[in-house]
Amino acid sequence: MVLWAALAGLLASGCAGNETPSPEKEQAVLNVVVTTGMLADAVRQIGGERVQVHALMGPGVDPHSYTASQGDIARLRRADLIVYNGLHLEGKMQEVLQNMAQTKPVLSFGEGLDPNRLRKVSSASDALDPHIWFDAALWESGVQALALRMSKQFPQHREPFLAGAARYGETLLALDQELRDVYAAIPQENRVLVTSHDAFEYFGAAYGFEVMGLQGVSTVAEFGLRDMTDMVNLLSERKIPAVFVESSVPHRSLQSVVEGCRQKGHPLVIGGELFSDAMGPEGSPEGTYVGMLRHNAALIAAALGTGGVAGGQSRIDAAAQDQTPATPQRQTP
Ligand SMILES: [Zn+2]
């Protein structure tokens, strides 16, 4: 066996020494650097074994305030391709990304989306909301667009990229339907999602929730005492049972809202920790895009669903157990 392997190795290297065109170069694994975990997941699903993906922002990291370290800049310099969310999510990395774009392809996921499906931060501003991953169908369309743009940059990988995106697209559309079913089981009057910052507007529009964040669309903006008081009053008056903290935002601000409501006699609880702008740890179910959205759905259904929602919750738990988290693409529909 060892002899055979050695002999094969010798033959192979002998051939390569002659005039073989360079299939290695065509097959070379692309070094892709992305900003968020959600993007890392998307690029891995598109690229499969043809890409090596590194995400700069790990679990619990807030992309709005993230600045690139020296190590990040070195990684970005070595990358064959850079993918970022865009729409000003990575507000403090603009300059670095612009610089990198002078020497290599730097793709904004958000720019690949149909502009008509993007939401403005407010009616008074032209700024667009960057939290596009919370609508699984919208994210799916972005995955297809990204695969096309990656194929243009690296035409030698076109077929596998498009096939990877098509496979992952099926998983994402199935997820979208599953989420719709779970959320539809929550009573209409309870479909109010209150979180630390305004990350869930796309979510609300896609799945029928009214959403409110204590802070604005970016966590960089401060909230005032007035915002806090308004929120306490609103939650108490409408008897909203729960609010949600986020994995990438400090919890203390919402804790004060909970205390304020309790002082007014409204027994508000923290419904749990949602993954908002970052996924869970790698290797855990929440460390994938699909697992992250399922985790959020299970928490929201458990905290806001009264009565009829138990079925929805157990259903999504069962689905999460069936799922092999690291490789949703291998599921056959
Ligand atoms: Zn955010």
Side-chain angles (χ1 to χ4, degrees):
M1 284 291 270
V2 177
L3 243 172
W4 271 114
L7 192 60
L10 251 172
L11 281 170
S13 63
C15 288
N18 290 332
E19 289 263 313
T20 327
S22 54
E24 294 96 28
K25 195 162 183 235
E26 284 195 0
Q27 293 304 319
V29 173
L30 295 174
N31 173 10
V32 187
V33 176
V34 303
T35 52
T36 68
M38 294 75 86
L39 290 171
D41 212 359
V43 174
R44 281 189 192 115
Q45 299 288 347
I46 293 168
E49 59 195 12
R50 287 166 180 82
V51 293
Q52 178 86 321
V53 184
H54 177 82
L56 298 180
M57 303 170 187
V61 172
D62 176 3
H64 301 284
S65 58
Y66 188 86
T67 53
S69 68
Q70 284 308 311
D72 290 344
I73 290 170
R75 270 186 193 279
L76 290 164
R77 284 212 178 102
R78 287 197 302 271
D80 300 310
L81 166 69
I82 296 167
V83 180
Y84 68 110
N85 187 86
L87 311 175
H88 287 273
L89 179 74
E90 302 93 341
K92 309 219 158 162
M93 285 187 66
Q94 308 281 13
E95 207 182 313
V96 173
L97 292 168
Q98 266 166 21
N99 286 341
M100 295 294 160
Q102 291 171 2
T103 55
K104 64 185 75 192
V106 177
L107 303 178
S108 151
F109 189 95
E111 267 174 31
L113 293 170
D114 175 357
N116 295 319
R117 293 179 74 178
L118 297 177
R119 301 180 63 84
K120 284 187 181 173
V121 164
S122 75
S123 50
S125 154
D126 278 339
L128 295 166
D129 183 343
H131 301 92
I132 44 184
W133 54 93
F134 284 115
D135 174 344
L138 180 64
W139 191 248
E140 193 274 338
S141 72
V143 165
Q144 304 307 330
L146 178 63
L148 277 172
R149 291 157 81 207
M150 284 170 62
S151 303
K152 272 198 189 124
Q153 295 292 341
F154 305 98
Q156 69 273 32
H157 298 305
R158 182 181 163 85
E159 269 179 44
F161 281 179
L162 297 185
R167 242 185 345 255
Y168 191 42
E170 282 179 24
T171 303
L172 295 180
L173 293 178
L175 171 71
D176 182 60
Q177 187 56 53
E178 183 186 317
L179 297 176
R180 278 171 201 290
D181 293 346
V182 171
Y183 291 127
I186 298 177
Q188 182 70 50
E189 67 274 17
N190 277 6
R191 276 186 235 156
V192 181
L193 188 74
V194 179
T195 55
S196 308
H197 87 300
D198 249 332
F200 291 87
E201 292 286 341
Y202 288 96
F203 167 87
Y207 303 108
F209 277 73
E210 198 180 326
V211 297
M212 279 173 264
L214 192 54
Q215 276 172 293
V217 167
S218 168
T219 55
V220 175
E222 283 291 323
F223 63 91
L225 197 61
R226 175 94 209 275
D227 303 323
M228 182 86 80
T229 314
D230 285 351
M231 188 158 274
V232 166
N233 289 340
L234 186 138
L235 291 165
S236 307
E237 275 160 27
R238 293 181 54 181
K239 300 191 168 54
I240 306 298
V243 295
F244 299 87
V245 291
E246 301 172 35
S247 64
S248 53
V249 183
H251 296 178
R252 56 178 189 281
S253 53
L254 269 188
Q255 194 60 51
S256 330
V257 170
V258 169
E259 275 150 29
C261 283
R262 285 184 182 163
Q263 277 169 18
K264 289 180 72 117
H266 173 49
L268 183 74
V269 297
I270 291 203
E273 185 182 79
L274 300 177
F275 291 102
S276 56
D277 291 2
M279 305 196 306
E282 216 173 310
S284 72
E286 296 79 19
T288 68
Y289 173 78
V290 171
M292 166 195 190
L293 264 57
R294 279 194 170 137
H295 164 94
N296 287 357
L299 265 191
I300 293 168
L304 297 183
T306 47
V309 84
Q313 195 202 349
S314 60
R315 193 184 142 185
I316 211 154
D317 283 346
Q321 279 165 10
D322 289 346
Q323 171 92 350
T324 314
T327 54
Q329 66 173 30
R330 285 195 199 144
Q331 280 190 322
T332 37

